[in-house]
Amino acid sequence: MLHGRTIGFIGSGNMAEAMIRGLLEAKLVTADQIIASDIVEARRQQIHLRYDVETVTEGRDVGLKASILILAVKPQDMEGALHGIAASVDQTKTVISVAAGITIAFIAERLPAGVRIVRAMPNAPALVLAGAAGIAKGEHATAEDLQIAEVIFAAVGKTVVVEEKHLDAVTGLSGSGPAYVFLLIEALTDAGVKVGLARDVAGLLAAQTVLGAAKMVLESGRHPAELKDTVASPGGTTIAGLYALERGGLRGILIEAVEAATSRSRELGRR
């Protein structure tokens, strides 16, 4: 699907680099099929040296060369980025945005009429090729455009297709979710220290436990509640710990966290 296509990145920050790395490691494209822009010379040099891809200063040059454009600038820089590429974008190109809170309508209003736009909400674990992304297609995007986006984001993790109205919820859950899990790992580590473990030992056990539990959910296909019950034997240690978590309201607090982040994403989208 990506054979013979040039993929251009407008912005070469962490997310763009993760996607470049994922595409190359999955052998979906070769380095000469990628071009990336960035206003910072040092960053352009880093990307070129690490991945042997062409780098340029102006997004306009990316727009002229690439048939798939990935908008990977910060939300506050999107206006300027769109202005820079508008003259080099037409209805033959696929435009994919990974900027949080920037709607398809916002992008469409600043590019020529009929441009094919896909909006995506990836998350930080894409940096280690274990991300989760929600993607939604714009009015003029085709089924092939959506498939292109799915292939690209599958190179850095898992992908789900949703309606754009649900991307705020994706942001609240998987976009912000890594921070909740980091906090959980930190708390588990502190707990291990409290009961006598060395901090490095507790940290390793906590992080690996979270990783292993997530793999069990993804690879077994079983409901998390069912897996939980396989660990919690009658009158044992696990059920005692689960009781403490339920008594402390962990489940409700996590739900409230996702709701709060979702609401904030909606607010940012209305700015």
Side-chain angles (χ1 to χ4, degrees):
M1 177 164 290
L2 301 180
H3 178 71
R5 295 177 180 264
T6 299
I7 301 176
F9 290 84
I10 311 298
S12 300
N14 288 335
M15 187 57 66
E17 181 174 2
M19 297 172 73
I20 291 170
R21 175 188 164 203
L23 287 166
L24 293 174
E25 288 192 5
K27 301 190 184 318
L28 293 172
V29 297
T30 54
D32 60 3
Q33 289 177 257
I34 295 175
I35 179 171
S37 69
D38 203 279
I39 61 173
V40 179
E41 182 180 359
R43 184 58 176 166
R44 294 196 303 272
Q45 291 176 348
Q46 282 181 338
I47 294 297
H48 175 68
L49 290 173
R50 287 173 183 170
Y51 305 103
D52 196 29
V53 302
E54 181 181 359
T55 58
V56 295
T57 305
E58 300 294 334
R60 176 186 64 252
D61 297 327
V62 175
L64 289 170
K65 291 188 176 183
S67 59
I68 300 169
L69 294 175
I70 298 177
L71 305 174
V73 297
K74 295 176 181 178
Q76 61 267 30
D77 297 329
M78 183 62 82
E79 183 92 43
L82 292 172
H83 177 74
I85 66 170
S88 59
V89 175
D90 58 27
Q91 295 85 352
T92 66
K93 299 180 187 290
T94 303
V95 177
I96 302 171
S97 172
V98 299
I102 300 296
T103 65
I104 292 171
F106 181 98
I107 298 169
E109 287 168 4
R110 290 157 178 81
L111 294 179
V115 169
R116 294 147 44 189
I117 302 166
V118 176
R119 180 182 167 194
M121 183 62 228
N123 67 359
L127 300 176
V128 291
L129 310 186
I135 60 175
K137 76 182 194 71
E139 177 184 359
H140 301 290
T142 65
E144 184 181 18
D145 293 324
L146 198 62
Q147 288 177 334
I148 287 170
E150 286 187 88
V151 168
I152 289 173
F153 287 102
V156 293
K158 304 288 186 182
T159 305
V160 295
V161 178
V162 298
E163 295 179 43
E164 187 182 17
K165 66 182 181 181
H166 294 310
L167 283 180
D168 291 315
V170 171
T171 301
L173 177 56
S174 58
S176 300
Y180 315 153
V181 178
F182 295 148
L183 184 63
L184 176 64
I185 292 171
E186 181 186 24
L188 287 171
T189 301
D190 287 345
V193 173
K194 188 174 187 297
V195 295
L197 295 175
R199 181 162 293 277
D200 59 340
V201 171
L204 174 63
L205 291 174
Q208 183 64 28
T209 296
V210 171
L211 174 63
K215 284 178 66 69
M216 286 181 71
V217 171
L218 290 172
E219 295 179 9
S220 72
R222 298 167 72 182
H223 193 283
E226 182 183 358
L227 291 171
K228 176 199 70 179
D229 289 345
T230 65
V231 181
S233 56
T237 59
T238 303
I239 195 64
L242 288 169
Y243 173 68
L245 293 174
E246 294 288 4
R247 188 174 56 188
L250 177 67
R251 188 188 303 261
I253 289 170
L254 287 173
I255 292 171
E256 289 177 6
V258 173
E259 287 182 327
T262 299
S263 295
R264 181 57 179 154
S265 179
R266 289 177 181 142
E267 290 173 5
L268 292 173
R270 289 193 292 267
R271 70 191 185 282

